[in-house]
Amino acid sequence: MEQSFDGRSVVIAALVGSPNYNLKEANSDEDWKYLVSPSFDDLYDGTYYTQSHNSPERDFTVHDIRRFCQLLGKGNPYFLEILFSIKVYATPRYHDLLEQLIEKREKLASMNRPGLYRACIGHSKEKIKNLRKGTATTKDAVAQKGYDTKEALHAYRLLDLLERYYHYEWDFGRAIWYPEEERGPLLALKSGAIDNKEIDCYLQEKVRRLQSLERYYNNELVQIKTKKWLEEKIRLAVLLNFLH
């Protein structure tokens, strides 16, 4: 595991993406997120370090751990996933922090349910809007199927997460993981099983169905006590970096 990026110490590293949903296929690459402690200049200037790297074998992004704290507080599903990763590590001085975060991960997942709902809906709509743009790695799928099948899967999975989280009585770990018998429809979606003429309606219908769940998410107030606990833990982690 990398120890630092541009002089910023790694706090936590986590595998993200399809392995955490049990949707990994043989040709899937690995995606990692690294959370780093800010430098003195970052703190003084009020800036947040970020970096990304893409290659055929491995992609990763790097984020200031203070940003992780902020986005967790907003219910961002991509950063919540870090706490439920099948591979998550901390550098030695931060082992206690990681253990405490994992122990409290279900409370952290439910800390801002209204925010989680808005984030999943917002990210999904953005992906639906960009279905036919494609990227360097998905342009072949767009040419062959007429749309970005990977983006379609991501959009559907985020919407499905909201539905599953509610039906599994707010068990986030269970909601993101697909048992073998439930993987088929999502992998079929990724393979382009739904026709180009039907995919937009298929996803928009999923969005419409979820509107009936919005009130259940919004009924839960942001858990201020949990949010303050998280902020204090991250504050201490940043301080620890400057004491070593």
Side-chain angles (χ1 to χ4, degrees):
M1 184 179 81
E2 283 81 353
Q3 297 297 309
S4 66
F5 290 91
D6 294 328
R8 295 163 177 84
S9 300
V10 171
V11 179
I12 293 170
L15 179 68
V16 295
S18 58
N20 294 330
Y21 325 134
N22 196 29
L23 296 176
K24 180 178 172 61
E25 296 182 288
N27 60 347
S28 298
D29 57 1
E30 282 200 344
D31 296 311
W32 286 79
K33 270 191 173 70
Y34 292 93
L35 305 178
V36 297
S37 187
S39 67
F40 173 80
D41 286 339
D42 294 335
L43 292 174
Y44 188 83
D45 296 333
T47 57
Y48 294 84
Y49 179 80
T50 184
Q51 185 195 140
S52 62
H53 170 82
N54 300 96
S55 71
E57 300 81 23
R58 186 167 176 264
D59 300 338
F60 67 79
T61 57
V62 186
H63 306 272
D64 189 313
I65 195 165
R66 294 172 298 158
R67 184 68 77 196
F68 163 75
C69 180
Q70 293 171 354
L71 292 173
L72 224 59
K74 293 179 179 179
N76 185 294
Y78 297 114
F79 282 81
L80 280 170
E81 180 189 333
I82 291 172
L83 302 180
F84 295 84
S85 174
I86 61 171
K87 292 182 181 178
V88 58
Y89 310 101
T91 47
R93 76 178 72 160
Y94 298 110
H95 279 168
D96 287 347
L97 170 66
L98 179 58
E99 287 181 1
Q100 291 174 66
L101 290 172
I102 290 177
E103 182 180 352
K104 218 174 180 75
R105 63 185 182 179
E106 285 294 349
K107 283 191 174 182
L108 292 167
S110 64
M111 178 170 57
N112 187 352
R113 287 183 198 162
L116 175 64
Y117 182 90
R118 290 192 300 270
C120 288
I121 294 292
H123 286 305
S124 296
K125 286 183 175 180
E126 187 67 20
K127 291 179 183 302
I128 293 169
K129 186 172 70 175
N130 294 328
L131 279 181
R132 289 164 185 86
K133 287 187 176 181
T135 65
T137 57
T138 62
K139 60 183 180 181
D140 290 342
V142 175
Q144 183 180 2
K145 300 292 184 178
Y147 65 94
D148 188 331
T149 58
K150 190 174 181 180
E151 282 291 271
L153 171 62
H154 290 328
Y156 183 90
R157 191 196 62 78
L158 284 169
L159 297 169
D160 207 36
L161 172 61
L162 292 175
E163 198 165 23
R164 291 165 65 87
Y165 191 33
Y166 169 74
H167 286 300
Y168 285 137
E169 298 180 339
W170 314 116
D171 184 332
F172 194 87
R174 189 178 177 192
I176 66 170
W177 182 264
Y178 288 86
E180 289 299 318
E181 65 273 15
E182 297 177 15
R183 298 171 73 232
L186 286 96
L187 295 179
L189 180 59
K190 186 179 179 181
S191 70
I194 298 178
D195 188 84
N196 181 36
K197 296 178 181 178
E198 300 173 358
I199 187 63
D200 295 274
C201 289
Y202 179 79
L203 293 172
Q204 291 293 353
E205 177 58 29
K206 184 78 168 175
V207 173
R208 282 192 290 273
R209 288 205 308 270
L210 280 166
Q211 290 175 354
S212 64
L213 297 183
E214 184 175 5
R215 62 192 176 100
Y216 296 108
Y217 279 87
N218 288 339
N219 280 345
E220 187 74 19
L221 297 176
V222 176
Q223 297 177 18
I224 301 299
K225 185 177 179 180
T226 302
K227 188 170 184 288
K228 287 183 176 179
W229 177 90
L230 173 65
E231 291 169 348
E232 182 60 22
K233 292 299 176 183
I234 300 305
R235 182 185 181 90
L236 289 174
V238 172
L239 176 61
L240 180 63
N241 182 62
F242 287 98
L243 295 178
H244 283 75

